[in-house]
Amino acid sequence: MNTNSNDEIDLIDLLKKLYNSRKLIVYITIIFSIMGIAFALLLPVKYNSTTIFITQIQETRSSSLSGVASLVGINLGSSSFGGEIPATMYPQIVQSVKFKRLLLNKVIDDKNNLTLENYIKNHYSIKEVEEQNTSDLGMTLNEEQYFNILTEILNVSVNQKDGFISISSEIPNAEYSAKVAKFSRELLQNIIIENKIETARQNLIFSEAQLIEKKKEFDEIYSKLAFFSDSNLNSVNSFVLNEKNKLESEFQIISAVVEEISKQVEQAKLQLKKDTPVFSTIQEAVIPIKKSSPKTYVFIIIFGFLGFIFSSFFVLVKDSLKNILFEIKNN
C-alpha cells in the first residue's frame, strides 16, 4: 500500500516538475523545430515526376479474316512468334546496362542540347577516370558512377493486382524530372516491343527477301517465255512446241511459288502486328510544381519531438545532476 502511494506521489511530482518548467520545455521545443527548418533548408531540393501505364493484352479471337485465310492455305492461329516479358521483370530491365546507356544519351534540354549524362556529370560533380577499353557486355568504371546515380533517381513499381506500371524520377530540376520519367517509359516500352516482336520481325524480313528473289526469277522466266513466243510465232515444229511447254511449265511453277511466298509475307505482317504489345498511358509525366523533398513539416515534427523529449528529460534530471555535481565538488 505504501509502495503504491509512493509511486503515485512520485508520478505527481514528476508531472509538477514538467508543468512548472513548461516555458522552458516550450522554448527548447521551438528551438529544435527551428533547427529542423534550417536542416531542411540545407538539404538539396528535389522534384518527383511520375508516369503510369498499363499493357493491353490482346486476346486471340477467331474472325472472318481467319476463316477466309484458311481457305487459301494461310494459318492465322493463336501461336505467337515472340516471347512475353512479365511485368515483374520491368524493374530489372530499367536496371540493365542497355537501358541506362540509352537513357543517359537522351537530350533533356533541347535549347542547350544537354543530355542526361552531361547533367548528371555537372550536377553531381562526377570525375572521369582513365580506364581500359571494355566490351559492350560490361560497364566501365565511369559508367558505374552514372548507373549508381540513375538507380537513385529512377524508381519502377509494378501493381501485380491491377497491372499498372509506375515509373518515377526524382532530381533537383522539375522539368528534367518530367522528361526523365517520360523517356524512361518510352525506352522501357520500346525494349519490351523489340523483345516481343523480334522473332516475328525476323520471319517477315526473311519472307520479304525470299519474295524479292523469287520475283526476279519470275520476271526472268516471263521475259524468256515472251521472247521465245514472239520469236517463233510461225514455227510449229516439235522442238519449238517442247521448248515452249518447258518454259510455260517453269513459269507456272515460279508463279505458284511467288503466290505462296506472298501469302507468307502477308501472314508474317499480320503476326507482327498481332505480336506488337499495346500500351495505354494512364498518367503522363508532368512538370511538378511542388518539391517532393525535403519535406519541411516532417523535419519540424521530428526535431520538435526530439526537443520535447530532451527538454522534459533535462527538467526531470537537472536536480539530480546538481546534487551529483555538488557531492563531487565537496568530496
Side-chain angles (χ1 to χ4, degrees):
M1 184 70 180
N2 293 334
T3 303
N4 293 335
S5 299
N6 292 334
D7 291 341
E8 291 178 2
I9 293 173
D10 292 340
L11 181 59
I12 293 173
D13 290 340
L14 293 177
L15 293 175
K16 284 182 178 180
K17 285 184 178 181
L18 293 176
Y19 180 77
N20 293 333
S21 303
R22 61 186 181 278
K23 289 185 178 180
L24 177 62
I25 294 175
V26 171
Y27 290 151
I28 294 177
T29 302
I30 292 174
I31 292 173
F32 269 73
S33 299
I34 294 174
M35 290 173 59
I37 296 175
F39 186 79
L41 293 175
L42 292 175
L43 293 176
V45 176
K46 294 182 180 180
Y47 296 90
N48 186 290
S49 182
T50 302
T51 179
I52 301 174
F53 68 95
I54 188 172
T55 304
Q56 298 291 342
I57 301 175
Q58 299 181 2
E59 297 180 356
T60 304
R61 295 185 178 91
S62 58
S63 61
S64 58
L65 178 61
S66 300
V68 173
S70 63
L71 294 177
V72 294
I74 302 177
N75 180 19
L76 300 180
S78 59
S79 61
S80 175
F81 286 109
E84 187 72 35
I85 299 179
T88 53
M89 292 294 295
Y90 292 178
Q92 281 70 30
I93 296 176
V94 173
Q95 295 301 323
S96 66
V97 173
K98 176 183 177 181
F99 179 91
K100 290 181 177 180
R101 282 176 177 168
L102 292 173
L103 184 60
L104 286 172
N105 290 327
K106 287 292 184 179
V107 177
I108 58 176
D109 191 335
D110 296 326
K111 183 178 180 181
N112 299 315
N113 195 28
L114 179 68
T115 63
L116 179 58
E117 180 179 1
N118 291 331
Y119 170 76
I120 292 176
K121 179 180 179 180
N122 297 332
H123 183 79
Y124 293 91
S125 301
I126 292 181
K127 296 181 180 179
E128 303 287 347
V129 295
E130 294 184 2
E131 55 193 359
Q132 297 178 349
N133 294 329
T134 59
S135 64
D136 294 336
L137 297 178
M139 61 175 139
T140 65
L141 295 176
N142 288 321
E143 285 180 330
E144 186 176 3
Q145 299 181 75
Y146 292 102
F147 291 174
N148 290 336
I149 294 175
L150 283 180
T151 302
E152 299 176 2
I153 290 175
L154 285 177
N155 179 55
V156 181
S157 59
V158 179
N159 186 323
Q160 296 185 14
K161 181 180 179 182
D162 299 323
F164 294 104
I165 297 93
S166 173
I167 302 178
S168 61
S169 67
E170 189 177 44
I171 53 179
N173 187 293
E175 181 183 356
Y176 297 168
S177 177
K179 287 188 175 181
V180 170
K182 176 177 177 290
F183 291 148
S184 298
R185 174 179 57 79
E186 293 174 348
L187 282 175
L188 177 59
Q189 292 176 350
N190 289 338
I191 291 175
I192 294 169
I193 291 174
E194 287 178 5
N195 182 84
K196 185 70 170 68
I197 67 173
E198 178 61 25
T199 306
R201 186 169 63 86
Q202 292 296 333
N203 182 71
L204 176 59
I205 293 174
F206 175 78
S207 298
E208 289 178 335
Q210 291 295 309
L211 181 60
I212 293 173
E213 181 180 343
K214 293 304 176 183
K215 278 186 174 181
K216 288 182 179 179
E217 295 182 17
F218 174 86
D219 293 337
E220 291 175 359
I221 295 177
Y222 181 78
S223 298
K224 287 181 180 180
L225 178 60
F227 178 77
F228 185 83
S229 297
D230 292 340
S231 301
N232 299 276
L233 289 176
N234 299 321
S235 301
V236 290
N237 57 64
S238 299
F239 174 79
V240 172
L241 293 176
N242 288 336
E243 193 65 26
K244 183 177 181 181
N245 289 336
K246 180 181 178 181
L247 289 173
E248 288 178 345
S249 178
E250 291 180 2
F251 178 75
Q252 291 176 357
I253 293 173
I254 194 64
S255 297
V257 171
V258 169
E259 182 180 358
E260 183 61 29
I261 296 179
S262 298
K263 294 177 183 179
Q264 293 178 6
V265 170
E266 294 303 316
Q267 180 184 3
K269 289 180 179 179
L270 290 172
Q271 189 67 53
L272 181 64
K273 185 176 181 181
K274 177 184 174 182
D275 285 351
T276 303
V278 179
F279 300 97
S280 295
T281 302
I282 308 300
Q283 176 181 320
E284 187 58 87
V286 297
I287 300 176
I289 299 175
K290 298 181 179 179
K291 64 181 182 180
S292 59
S293 67
K295 299 184 183 297
T296 306
Y297 70 91
V298 174
F299 286 95
I300 293 175
I301 294 173
I302 294 175
F303 276 78
F305 178 75
L306 292 175
F308 175 78
I309 296 298
F310 173 79
S311 58
S312 299
F313 178 78
F314 175 76
V315 168
L316 294 176
V317 302
K318 67 178 181 178
D319 293 336
S320 300
L321 288 174
K322 286 181 180 180
N323 294 333
I324 293 173
L325 292 174
F326 180 77
E327 292 178 1
I328 292 173
K329 287 182 180 180
N330 291 335
N331 294 334

